[in-house]
């Protein structure tokens, strides 16, 4: 996942910006660049092959230390135990002893960082994944604590009004007339106050 994003960025850089660095000249390969590129690729292949041959000579002499805890056990159990015990025994993938790996010899101190993808996944996580997750947590909090509170409140007010109306409907004619008279008095007082400007 992490390798795609730098590739896209470098592709965009090469497409838009890089030709301007060369005074706007076309970047189409010429015979010289094709021969040089092929030569460099060939030299790199020969160096990698020679390094691989050199490191495979050490494989027979250096034990890898892989021991199956349950040789006759279920393959899934053996694999799960190997995965669980790999890091405590050998460290992460960059430190796992593999004498046949030519990358250790070719990259030297950079091998540990190369094995971890030059930590681009950690950078991507810090720049994009964590902020998006934090934003999602904020939205979830606001939805749960703010929006749902208003929704519950909107349902509570009609329920209280319904309870008040139900209690007012007693079937007693004197209660209805008293409520009608009280409402009329309140409206009359309000009209007088509005008319006098108070």
């Amino acid at each position: 996942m992490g390798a795609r994003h730098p590739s896209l960025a470098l592709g965009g850089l090469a497409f838009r910006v890089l030709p301007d660095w060369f005074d706007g000249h076309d970047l189409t390969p010429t015979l010289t660049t094709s021969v040089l590129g092929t030569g460099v690729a060939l030299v790199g292949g020969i160096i990698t092959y020679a390094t691989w041959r050199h490191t495979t000579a050490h494989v027979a002499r250096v034990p890898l230390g892989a021991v199956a805890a349950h040789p006759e056990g279920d393959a899934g159990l053996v694999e799960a135990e190997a995965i669980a015990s790999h890091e405590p025994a050998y460290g992460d993938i960059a430190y796992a002893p593999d004498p046949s790996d030519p990358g250790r010899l070719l990259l030297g101190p950079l091998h540990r960082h190369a094995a971890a993808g030059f930590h681009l996944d950690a950078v991507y996580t810090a720049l994009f994944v964590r902020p998006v997750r934090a934003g999602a947590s904020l939205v979830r909090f606001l939805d749960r604590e703010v929006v749902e509170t208003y929704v519950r409140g909107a349902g509570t007010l009609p329920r209280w009004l319904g309870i008040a109306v139900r209690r007012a409907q007693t079937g007693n004619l004197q209660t209805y007339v008293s409520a009608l008279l009280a409402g009329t008095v309140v409206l009359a007082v309000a009209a007088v106050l509005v008319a006098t400007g108070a």
Side-chain angles (χ1 to χ4, degrees):
M1 177 179 81
R4 281 180 282 172
H5 304 291
S7 300
L8 289 173
L10 291 175
L13 175 75
F15 180 71
R16 296 282 185 196
V17 178
L18 199 56
D20 292 337
W21 291 355
F22 295 98
D23 297 328
H25 293 295
D26 191 15
L27 296 179
T28 305
T30 62
L31 178 62
T32 306
T33 57
S34 297
V35 169
L36 284 175
T38 304
V40 168
L42 185 61
V43 168
I46 291 171
I47 290 172
T48 303
Y49 178 74
T51 306
W52 174 73
R53 293 293 295 166
H54 175 73
T55 55
T56 53
H58 295 294
V59 173
R61 290 183 277 158
V62 181
L64 287 177
V67 177
H70 305 285
E72 303 298 322
D74 178 43
L77 175 66
V78 173
E79 183 178 4
E81 285 188 8
I83 290 170
S85 64
H86 175 269
E87 192 163 346
Y90 299 112
D92 66 8
I93 189 171
Y95 292 107
D98 184 3
S100 67
D101 183 10
R104 291 185 183 281
L105 186 60
L106 290 171
L107 296 173
L110 289 177
H111 180 267
R112 182 173 67 107
H113 302 293
F118 293 103
H119 311 287
L120 291 177
D121 282 340
V123 171
Y124 180 80
T125 299
L127 291 179
F128 299 106
V129 175
R130 286 184 186 153
V132 168
R133 284 187 177 168
S137 296
L138 177 64
V139 168
R140 189 178 325 118
F141 169 77
L142 291 175
D143 182 52
R144 185 179 59 242
E145 300 300 328
V146 177
V147 175
E148 285 187 16
T149 301
Y150 284 117
V151 169
R152 284 191 299 267
T156 303
L157 181 62
R159 187 172 62 240
W160 286 351
L161 289 174
I163 290 170
V165 169
R166 187 174 61 236
R167 288 191 179 171
Q169 293 179 348
T170 61
N172 186 348
L173 186 60
Q174 291 175 342
T175 305
Y176 296 154
V177 171
S178 299
L180 182 63
L181 181 61
T184 305
V185 170
V186 168
L187 286 175
V189 169
V192 168
L193 289 175
V194 169
T196 59

